[in-house]
Amino acid sequence: MASDDSYLAFLNNANEDPSLGYPRDRPDPATQKVGGNSFKTRDEGVSLPSPIAKLLEKGDRFYVSDADEPFEGVALKFGEDMLPDEEKFASLINHPNPADAAIEIFDPVDWDRNGQYTDLIDAVTEASEGRDVKVYRVVKDSVRVEYWVVSVSVDGKLLVGVRALAVES
């Protein structure tokens, strides 16, 4: 029969964090997550455009998925007239590996086929004064993705919009 000390050692080993020893920029085999948990949504000193801020101020807008997560505002310094490509977008949000980021770009109508998020799309369109709006789908790990509904401000200085986490199992 095993002693109390060996049984306690067994329990401590079984309860050890499985991610110990894995660098943060490589996928953890237990979770398939890469790096940190969140991407940058706002640059310091940049405020949300009022149409987006107004819509989000109540805190009642959620992306419906396996984990209904709230939308949050996006306001990033940009400096270009056209929406970014996948790699440039990954750099803007501080993805740990922009060149290899799994990002897809959608038209808002294709992303919101049921019309659940038209008020969000309209707020982003209003904030950009009618400029083109796109949806960026950023894969975080094997089941979590982020949807970014964004456009470029009229002066081209900001990328503005909303972002939400989705769990797609």
Side-chain angles (χ1 to χ4, degrees):
M1 188 165 207
S3 70
D4 289 340
D5 289 337
S6 63
Y7 182 65
L8 184 60
F10 166 77
L11 289 176
N12 287 337
N13 188 34
N15 292 323
E16 201 172 87
D17 183 359
S19 67
L20 290 176
Y22 291 100
R24 294 187 56 77
D25 61 344
R26 292 188 49 210
D28 175 344
T31 62
Q32 293 303 303
K33 286 196 291 193
V34 177
N37 285 334
S38 61
F39 297 122
K40 179 175 71 167
T41 57
R42 303 267 297 273
D43 279 319
E44 195 173 315
V46 178
S47 58
L48 281 177
S50 72
I52 296 169
K54 260 185 185 175
L55 186 64
L56 298 178
E57 70 186 358
K58 295 179 195 169
D60 63 350
R61 296 300 292 137
F62 295 85
Y63 183 79
V64 179
S65 72
D66 289 351
D68 299 340
E69 293 286 332
F71 280 95
E72 70 178 275
V74 174
L76 298 168
K77 294 177 183 170
F78 186 48
E80 294 182 24
D81 289 333
M82 303 295 292
L83 283 163
D85 64 14
E86 294 88 338
E87 188 172 345
K88 176 74 175 172
F89 184 79
S91 294
L92 281 170
I93 64 173
N94 286 348
H95 191 284
N97 192 355
D100 293 329
I103 296 177
E104 296 176 78
I105 302 174
F106 296 98
D107 190 272
V109 175
D110 295 330
W111 171 72
D112 184 23
R113 292 181 190 268
N114 297 326
Q116 288 179 273
Y117 308 108
T118 54
D119 57 341
L120 291 162
I121 295 166
D122 290 346
V124 174
T125 302
E126 185 181 343
S128 65
E129 297 184 22
R131 298 190 79 177
D132 197 22
V133 175
K134 292 291 181 190
V135 178
Y136 291 73
R137 181 182 185 268
V138 181
V139 175
K140 292 188 74 148
D141 58 41
S142 60
V143 295
R144 295 181 313 150
V145 298
E146 289 186 358
Y147 288 104
W148 298 66
V149 182
V150 295
S151 187
V152 179
S153 63
V154 174
D155 59 8
K157 292 182 181 177
L158 298 175
L159 188 72
V160 297
V162 295
R163 173 204 73 79
L165 176 67
V167 175
E168 300 176 344
S169 57

